Each structure stands twice: as C-alpha cells, then as structure tokens.
Amino acid sequence: MPLKRTQSAGYMTNWAARLFARAIDQKLKPMGMSSGYLPVFFALADGTARTQKQLALGAGIEQPTMAATLNRMERDGWIEREKDGEDRRITHIRLSAAARDKAQDIQAIVNQVNETALSGLNSLEQRVLLDALGKVTMALTRTEENQKHPVPK
Amino acid sequence: MPLKRTQSAGYMTNWAARLFARAIDQKLKPMGMSSGYLPVFFALADGTARTQKQLALGAGIEQPTMAATLNRMERDGWIEREKDGEDRRITHIRLSAAARDKAQDIQAIVNQVNETALSGLNSLEQRVLLDALGKVTMALTRTEENQKHPVPK
DNA sequence: ATATATTACATAGCAAGCTATGCATCTAAA
DNA sequence: TTTAGATGCATAGCTTGCTATGTAATATAT
C-alpha cells in the first residue's frame, strides 16, 4: 500500500531542503550571496586556498557542478582563482577580501534560518534530527559507492 | 563561531536530499521515471484527475515548476491532459494506462531506497526524524507565508 | 453592461544539481 | 624516452527548482 507522502523520508527531506534553500536565498539575495555558494564560502572562510577538486569533495557535489558554481562566484566577486606554479592543471581558489568582510553577516543569516527551522523542536529532537540525517547520508553514500565500484579494490 | 557543516540542519538536509535524488533517479531511469515525477505520480495514482494547480499545491512546488514537470511527463508518456469543458482555463491531468501499469514497480523502488536510507536508524529514530522534518517544513512554510503576505487579511 | 479582479496556465531566464565526455598536463611503465 | 594511464578542469546537455511576467478566461463590482 502506498506511503502517505509526509511519511516518506525521501519526500520530506526533499521538501525541507527546498524550503531551506528558498528561505536562505531570499535573505542572501540582497547581498549577492546564494545558498549554492555557502559550502564554498565556509570551506574558504579560514582564509586558506583550496583546489576545485577539494571543494567539490568537501561539499559532496560533483566536479562540474562545482566548476559552474565557482564561475558564478567569480563573476560575483566572491572568489579569486590563481594557477599553480608547479602543476599547471591545478587552480587555487580563495575568498576575495570583500567576501571575507561579509563573513559575519552571512553566518548570522544562516544561523537565523537554521534557528527558525528548528524552532519547533526541543533540544533532544534537534540532536536526533542531526544525528539521523548524518546516518542517512552515510547509508546513501555507501550504496552510491557500491554502484560506482561494484568490486571494491 | 562557525558551525561545522555536519552540524547545520540546512546543509545536512540539502545533502541528504541530493543523495536521495541520486539514488532514486539511478534506479528509476531505466524505466523512464525520475524523482521529479514522483509527487505527480503518487498524487494521480488512485486514477482520479487533478488540475495543474492542485498538483503544484500538493507537491509544494511552484506552478511554473509543475508546468515544466508535466511537459516532460507528457513527453515521456506518463500523463495525459484534457481541457475542461466548462472552464476553458482548466486542464485535467491523469495518469496514462501505461503509467498505471508500472505503479507497483515504482512503489517498490521508492520503498527500497527509503529503507536503505533509514537502515541505520532504529524505529524511534525513524519516527523522530519524520516528525522533526514535518515540524521543520511547518516552521519554514509559516515564515514563507509571512514574507508573501506581510499583513495577513 | 462594462470595467476590473482573479484565476489558470504559459513563457522567459536563471541557479544548482546531474552524467557523459573532452583536453591538457603530469606520472609511471615499457 | 616514448607510450599509457591518471589527474584536474572544462564543456555540453539535461532535470528540477526558482522568480517575474504575460495571456486568456472567468468572476465580480459598479
């Protein structure tokens, strides 16, 4: 018998993710930021440079998606790219000075949306939610790896 | 101080949602289905027709997104559209016979991915996760409504 | 009865995700 | 040392989401 959609973890996760993105994008838009930039922004926020590959891996997205995101971030003045002197395949990516200046504001907006989203949950429920999402991503990541390398080396 | 990304509900929800979509799309693709079609498919699975507006509302997506999804579903033979005789603005949408025939298979695939995703959680954690996601969507939907109608009528 | 609203859907244009594939460049093997 | 493989990034083309806006049809108000 069919699952009611609010009882499907996949559907509810997708729905919540879209609402998160809508809420965050709405608040970040006035400053030229957007939800897709956030993983890159936070990965670079400590001032160090990363390669495109490292950023994609850290954000859990595919390399071509990261390439497109970095193009938009460069266009919007959030990042700078610099070719490696040794290995000319590699490009180092770092936040622009202007971007570093806005770190506080961005963090505040993100925190505020997260707090709003979690406002109906007590602290136990919040912990279980984060823990459960961690376990879900682990389970799905594992099956994904099995698809890609059917016979692990 | 900055949140570690695995401690951010927004980031984890987005990540889990992408993994869900990847897993489901991979299994549905061989039969010409995809994750974006599922809310429409299940809404129409009982055989009754719905309007585009009803489908968008039920799926929690915007009307132009639903219009595009329905175009692809029609192209792929999953749905049929029929103009209303009384009100010529309205189009009724129903599943094709071929689509109804595949309902069992699709439901099985969706169930399997959900089970895999939740395999690391005990039944209490599963209940709390679904309940928490429901509360998160409620909280974010409420703030969204406030944005759109600042002064409720 | 006609002007005004509202409603249902369509279209345009963009973001952010994906897979598949191509192209240099570097590394390792013959 | 040349060839073959691996690596890092780019490009093409698609899906699924969004906002903003347009258009035709119906409903409402004067």
Side-chain angles (χ1 to χ4, degrees), chain A residues 14 18 22 51-53 63-64 67 81 89-91:
Chain A
N14 172 275
R18 284 185 288 110
R22 280 189 218 170
T51 68
Q52 187 183 106
K53 170 134 205 193
Q63 171 262 321
R81 300 200 224 217
R89 292 169 302 181
I90 296 179
T91 302

Side-chain angles (χ1 to χ4, degrees), chain B residues 42-101:
Chain B
F42 288 126
L44 300 179
D46 64 2
T48 63
R50 300 265 188 285
T51 68
Q52 186 182 107
K53 170 133 205 197
Q54 290 172 328
L55 290 170
L57 216 62
I61 65 177
E62 298 300 320
Q63 171 263 321
T65 302
M66 181 53 74
T69 298
L70 292 176
N71 284 341
R72 291 193 304 277
M73 290 185 77
E74 188 175 34
R75 176 200 65 190
D76 296 348
W78 293 102
I79 57 158
E80 285 152 7
R81 300 200 224 215
E82 187 188 0
K83 285 252 174 186
D84 187 286
E86 307 261 301
D87 185 336
R88 284 175 302 169
R89 293 170 300 181
I90 296 179
T91 301
H92 298 282
I93 293 138
R94 68 185 80 250
L95 284 190
S96 67
R100 284 193 301 275
D101 288 346

Side-chain angles (χ1 to χ4, degrees), chain A residues 4-117:
Chain A
K4 212 173 164 287
R5 74 191 182 297
T6 55
Q7 289 306 113
S8 159
Y11 178 76
M12 290 304 289
T13 303
N14 172 275
W15 190 14
R18 284 185 288 110
L19 289 170
F20 263 114
R22 280 189 218 170
I24 289 186
D25 283 331
Q26 187 165 26
K27 305 206 184 213
L28 289 182
K29 191 169 190 182
M31 60 190 300
M33 243 285 149
S34 77
S35 56
Y37 296 177
L38 289 176
V40 176
F41 188 86
F42 289 125
L44 300 178
D46 65 3
T48 63
R50 300 266 188 288
T51 68
Q52 187 183 106
K53 170 134 205 193
Q54 290 172 328
L55 290 170
L57 217 61
I61 65 177
E62 297 300 320
Q63 171 262 321
T65 302
M66 181 53 74
T69 298
L70 293 175
N71 285 341
R72 290 193 305 276
M73 290 186 78
E74 189 175 35
R75 177 199 66 190
D76 296 348
W78 292 101
I79 58 159
E80 285 152 8
R81 300 200 224 217
E82 186 187 1
K83 286 252 173 186
D84 187 286
E86 308 261 301
D87 186 336
R88 281 175 302 168
R89 292 169 302 181
I90 296 179
T91 302
H92 299 282
I93 292 137
R94 68 185 79 251
L95 283 191
S96 67
R100 285 193 300 275
D101 288 346
K102 302 209 178 94
Q104 307 298 316
D105 302 308
I106 290 168
Q107 183 72 58
I109 288 172
V110 171
N111 287 346
Q112 196 214 310
V113 172
N114 269 285
E115 276 163 32
T116 299

Side-chain angles (χ1 to χ4, degrees), chain B residues 15-46:
Chain B
W15 190 13
R18 283 185 290 109
L19 290 169
F20 263 114
R22 281 190 217 171
I24 288 187
D25 283 332
Q26 188 165 25
K27 306 207 183 212
L28 290 181
K29 190 168 190 182
M31 58 189 301
M33 243 286 147
S34 76
S35 56
Y37 297 177
L38 289 177
V40 176
F41 187 86
F42 288 126
L44 300 179
D46 64 2

